[in-house]
Every structure is written in structure tokens, then in C-alpha cells.
Amino acid sequence: MAEIRLEVASENAILEIQYDGHEIRQPPLSMSEQLSQHARKIDFGAAENGGSDELSGPAAAAADETEEQEEDEEEEKPCQQPHWPLESVRNKIRNAHTEVCVLHDLLQMVREKRYLVLDHVQGQQHQPKLYIQFLSLKKSLNNAASILTSGAERIRSSQSSVAKPASDFHLDLLRLRQHWRLKRVATNIVGDLSYTNTGSKFRHSGYFEVSKADDDSVATPLSSLPGSATSSASSAAAVGVSRSSLRVTIPPELDGSAYIFVCIRKDEEDLCSTQLNMIGGLNNVSSNASCGGSGEHHWQQKLECAQNVLFCKELFSQLAREAVALKMDIPPLVVANQITATIFPGIHLLIALCHSHPDSSRNRSSLTGPNGFLTSGAGNSSGSSSVTGSGSGQDHHHQQRSSGGTGGSVSKSIHDGVLEHSLHQLMHDYLHRTTPVPHPVYAPLHAHPTRRIAGPHGLDRQQLMQTVTNETLLEQIIKEAQHNFLRLRTMFVIDQLAIELRDPLIISHWNLFNSPTQSCVRINIVTQSYDSVIRTTLVVHVYERSLRCVCRDGRVMTMSFEPQELRNLLLCQVAQHQMAAVQSLSKLMGWTVGCSEPCLGVGAAEPLGSAAAVVLTAPSGNKQIMVRSGPCTGVSVSVATAPRNDFYPSGVVNERRWDQLPGAWQEVRLASMEGRNFLNKIELLMAALTAQN
């Protein structure tokens, strides 16, 4: 019997017929693809909508009749009791358990995706037309090439228009961009001089405009590279002069140079002064007085001068706001461009904003200010003061001045380098504290490190309040000014007393750079050629409004800012030094200290403190010396001699010292004696009295 084979006709479409006649057919669909293809042919939305429509005809009436028959049959059935009372509860629990199991199986199938995958059925994707993509890509490349070609042509034409230019505009613009913030607004190039990125809230924008200079621009030295504040004339002459290709236009209110003038004044006389700016030096104030000219300076110098003016204006406005809100016994006074604060009775602190304009027409309505400065009046548009280069504040030579009053005269240079250093340090600390710290947006906001300390290192309420309360900038400046003036007054008192008292010598060693509001001086009181015998040392700590003295014996005395208290203390220490020196010298000479009284109750009363006395007895016992020293009356020496030279011991008096009672005291004229100082004279007197025995 012949075998008959029945083969299913190939339903796969032919994709390609090669040149050799071989046909490449489409591979057969998988089961998943076939299911997707058949599911794509079903309109599920039409089925749902059609079901409701089909029941609206006779089928709906038949269904209603069937439901009515079933209800009638149920009513005709007699009430049957269940086999046992809880059979209905069991049936409901079983049905609920079945539904929960089905729901569990369905969720497991959907979650694990091993049994059933619910993916979106995608339609047939049409093959993209590559020719259209090639055309769009070609058009985009042509547009980019045309832009680059036109830019290159413009650069080539600008370079060929000038024969061998000395400076390139784009190269200078690159140098400018390396040091200053620039951005392009429409067709203009705008830069920013402000300190907004460091947290500044000053309202001035600080914008400047950069453009290409004309051919007739003023020559500027190329030797002043970006980043250098000044350029010397010798280097400019050695390298040569060429034209600048940049023109920098700054706002008129930032033109010129400015600085903050700080002065401590008593009555009409300046005790000390300093000048503060960001350029950092008094020599730059006069040299930069004409900064901002149309072509006399390099653009780097011009921008630095403008930024310095903006910094000084911002600093002065901040100090003015703090001065208005500051609560003091005598509130500070803010008038125009000057702040006046009282630091001590009769002593004032002046803070002034000095601004010089290169245009002389701005200085027409000006009044003479402190130290010969010209402060502008209400007619000045910028609202700042202007300063002339010939003012006394511009004199950098050391000028000695003196001020009278309770504090005496203070011989000090017009410029105080210590005060300038303290102010610069204070400004750097203020800018560092006000600069916002970079904080990631996703990082958590945590408390201050000192607040996170717990346990035995926990802080109390007062210490926590100190961590969150900060002093204003003006308060710190006032404290530094008070300390600076009190330090100058302490120096003057010690120097004047050292000049008045040649015996003993007063030597002071200052430590000024430990803190801007605290310094200390170590005072050594010695006698010339007898410094190895005795030396009195005391340390004086100088604060803002008080002094604290630590004596050699450990006593600590606190004094106010009045200079007379420090002078009285030093006079008492000198009197005690003389007494201690005499007692130390007597031990070396073989004399005996009969008695010593630090607070003598007999004799004339001292206007200050109390006098001290010591009685010395010669080795033979028939000579005695009494030394009396007072803070105001000075030193007086008296000598007494026993009336008899012979001695006959007995059972009652067996030693010579009990028999030889001294006679009347005779005062010694120390001014007529030989000797370079008091101890030298006492030594010669002891030697002479010892030799008479």
C-alpha cells in the first residue's frame, strides 16, 4: 500500500530571494508570539460594550422571565432545616477560604512572573525610513559647519584688519576671565565685582562692561600681568609700552580709590590712626589715587581699585547699620560718612570712609575733615568722602605727637601698625564667618558640633548661648580700639615713671601679638650692678577697660582704666623693692636685721599707701642703721651709735648687744655720699661703720 504524506502548506512569508534562487523565509512564530498575534485581533472594548447591548432585546425579556420562575420555585419549596446548626457558617468560611486561596495564587503568579507574564501587547512596528534621517543629519551638520565657518571668517578678518597687532583681544579677554567673573548678555560682555558669592547683601550690583578698544587707545604697560596690584615704572620702561585691546567700563560711583580711616582722638589731637583697604598698604593709597583713568592704568589695576571701593562702601554701610542698632551708655553717632563712638571719657573713635575721584569736579563741594581730609558734602552724588594726596593722613613718615590730660602725653607715630594688623585680622575673620559653607542639598541639617557633645562634656545654658550669640563687627572694633588706647596709656605711664625714677631701673617687656584685645607686659625692677642680689617682677595684663596685675608674692590686683592707679601701684612696688634690696644686701655684708615693718605706723603719713622701715645692726652690735622708704617721700637713712665702747659681762647681762643701747638717730644725707645708686651708698655706709669698730 502506497504511503500518502500530507504536508501543511508553508504559511511563512518569503523575506528575500537570493541570486542563486535560494529563498529566505520568515522564521515561524513562537507560542508567545502567536498568542500575542491572536490577542491583538480581539477587540476587548467592543466585547464589553456589546454584551450590555445584546441583553437589551428579547434576550433580556427571557432572562427576566427565567429569574421570576426561579424565585417562584424557591417560594414554593418548603422551609428545610439544615442538617446541623453551624452548616451555613461552615459553608461561608469555606467559600471565603477558597477566594483567599485563589487571590493568593493570582498574586503569586503576577509577582513571580513564572507562570504568567502580563506585558503590554505592542503593535507592528513600521521600519523607519533611513533616507529621511540622513537628510536631517546632513542639514544639521551643514548648519553647524556654516556657523563655525562664519566665526572663523570674522576672526580672520578682524586679525587681518590690523597690521601686526601688539595685543590680541581674545587673549586679553581670556586673561580677564581667569581672574574675574564674566558673562555674555545679548551682544555685551558684563563682569561682576561684587561679593555676592561670599554671602554679601550689599545692594550695589558691581557690574562692569568689557568691550574692544579703539585704535587710538591709550598705551598701557604689558608688564603688569593679571593678579598684580601695581606695576613699577622701571619695569614698564624696560619691557616697553603697547596698546591694550580691552576697554573696561566701570560704574562712576566705583571710580577712583577708597579706604577706611580709623582714628583714636582725644579732644582735637590724634593719638593713633590707621587706614584699612583691600589693596593692603598705605603706599598704594597715594599711588592708586588716580586709578580708574581712561587709559593710564592697566585694566587689572582699574578693576582692583573699583572692587576696593565697593568693599570699603560695603564695610562702612555695615558698620553704620550696626552703630544705629548698638546699645551703649553713649550711643555712637553716624553723620554722613563718619562714625563717632566714645570708648573712654574724653576719648573718641572715628571711622570715616575716604573716597577720592579722579575727576576734580566732584570735589568742589567739600569740607575739611579729620587730619586734613576733604569730606564731601551733600552735593556729592556718591555720598562718600574724598581725600587729597597732600593730607596729613598720606604722610608715611613717623610724626611724633603728644596728648595731655590725666593720661599724660602719648608719644606715638601717626600710623599704628599694630592697630592696622588687628583690623585686617578682624576683617578676615568676619569674612570667613559670613561666607556660606557649601552644603549638599541631600545632606541632613545637623546641629553645631559643640551642641552634639553629651555626657560629662555637656554644656550648660550659658555656654550654649555663647555659641549662638556673636558680637557685631562694630563692637569688636570698639573693643580693639579700647584695648589699643589702654595699651598706649599703659606704655606711657611705665615709660614716664622709668624716666622720672633713675634708681631703681624699671624694665618692661611687652607681648602684643597674643590677642587683639589682650596684651601683657612684664615689668622688672632692678638696681644697677645689683640685679643678682634682688629683682622684683610683676606682670600687668591689659584688657579692654581694665588692668590686672600679678605681683611676685602671688597677689592679684584689678585696676580700672585710670592711669593714676597703675602709677600708684608701681610706686608702691618700687618702695617695697628698696626695702627687700636693703635686707638682701645686709645678709651679704654680715649685718643683722633687727626688725622689719612693711606698714610703719609712726612718723609722717604717706599721701599714698604706707611707709616701710627696717633696722639693721652691725656685727659688733654698737652701730645700727634704720632705712625708711615711702612711695611718695622716698628713702631716708638714719644711723645710731652706742654710748660706750667697753663692755663688762655680768650674771645678768652676758652679751654686748644687750648692754650697748643706741643713742639718738642721726639722718644721713644720701645726696652728699659717694655711690652710683642707693644700694651702693648703703654698702659703703655699712663698710664704713663696720671699719670704725
Side-chain angles (χ1 to χ4, degrees), residues 85-99:
L86 299 178
E87 184 178 1
S88 60
V89 177
R90 183 198 63 180
N91 295 335
K92 291 182 180 180
I93 293 177
R94 179 184 297 174
N95 296 335
H97 180 265
T98 304
E99 292 178 359

Side-chain angles (χ1 to χ4, degrees), residues 99-117:
E99 292 178 359
V100 170
C101 292
V102 172
L103 179 60
H104 175 267
D105 296 340
L106 179 60
L107 293 177
Q108 188 175 5
M109 292 169 59
V110 174
R111 182 175 61 86
E112 296 182 0
K113 295 184 179 181
R114 292 189 302 176
Y115 310 100
L116 180 65
V117 179

Side-chain angles (χ1 to χ4, degrees), residues 6 46 50 153 242 371 399 459 487-488 546 554 558 600 625 642 658 669:
L6 299 178
E153 290 295 334
S242 61
N371 290 333
Q399 301 176 357
L459 304 179
R487 186 182 67 247
L488 294 179
S546 61
T558 303
L600 191 61
I625 298 177
W658 303 111
R669 291 180 293 178

Side-chain angles (χ1 to χ4, degrees), residues 32 36 39 110 113 116-122:
S32 177
S36 300
V110 174
K113 295 184 179 181
L116 180 65
V117 179
L118 301 178
D119 294 335
H120 180 70
V121 178
Q122 299 180 356

Side-chain angles (χ1 to χ4, degrees), residues 76-208:
E76 293 177 356
K77 291 181 180 180
C79 296
Q80 298 179 359
Q81 295 294 332
H83 297 286
W84 54 291
L86 299 178
E87 184 178 1
S88 60
V89 177
R90 183 198 63 180
N91 295 335
K92 291 182 180 180
I93 293 177
R94 179 184 297 174
N95 296 335
H97 180 265
T98 304
E99 292 178 359
V100 170
C101 292
V102 172
L103 179 60
H104 175 267
D105 296 340
L106 179 60
L107 293 177
Q108 188 175 5
M109 292 169 59
V110 174
R111 182 175 61 86
E112 296 182 0
K113 295 184 179 181
R114 292 189 302 176
Y115 310 100
L116 180 65
V117 179
L118 301 178
D119 294 335
H120 180 70
V121 178
Q122 299 180 356
Q124 295 181 357
Q125 297 181 357
H126 300 282
Q127 185 177 4
K129 297 180 180 180
L130 301 179
Y131 181 72
I132 298 177
Q133 295 182 357
F134 288 145
L135 288 179
S136 61
L137 180 60
K138 182 179 179 181
K139 185 177 180 180
S140 301
L141 293 176
N142 289 334
N143 294 336
S146 61
I147 294 175
L148 294 177
T149 305
S150 61
E153 290 295 334
R154 291 174 57 186
I155 296 176
R156 190 180 297 108
S157 61
S158 63
Q159 291 180 352
S160 61
S161 60
V162 182
K164 296 181 180 180
S167 60
D168 189 5
F169 171 75
H170 300 282
L171 183 59
D172 290 345
L173 187 62
L174 178 61
R175 293 176 180 175
L176 180 63
R177 187 179 180 183
Q178 292 176 353
H179 297 83
W180 304 93
R181 296 191 300 272
L182 298 178
K183 64 179 179 179
R184 185 168 182 176
V185 180
T187 58
N188 300 326
I189 301 176
V190 180
D192 189 8
L193 292 172
S194 63
Y195 299 90
T196 54
N197 60 339
T198 61
S200 174
K201 298 181 181 179
F202 195 56
R203 293 185 177 181
H204 197 283
S205 60
Y207 289 155
F208 64 93

Side-chain angles (χ1 to χ4, degrees), residues 548-567:
R548 188 167 64 93
C549 179
V550 181
C551 300
R552 182 180 181 182
D553 53 359
R555 293 179 300 169
V556 179
M557 289 168 284
T558 303
M559 299 167 287
S560 65
F561 55 85
E562 293 295 337
Q564 190 62 34
E565 296 184 12
L566 178 61
R567 181 182 178 86

Side-chain angles (χ1 to χ4, degrees), residues 491 494-495 498 506-510 521-524:
M491 286 182 181
I494 296 175
D495 294 343
I506 300 178
I507 305 172
S508 60
H509 302 276
W510 281 92
V521 54
R522 181 179 179 181
I523 302 175
N524 294 326

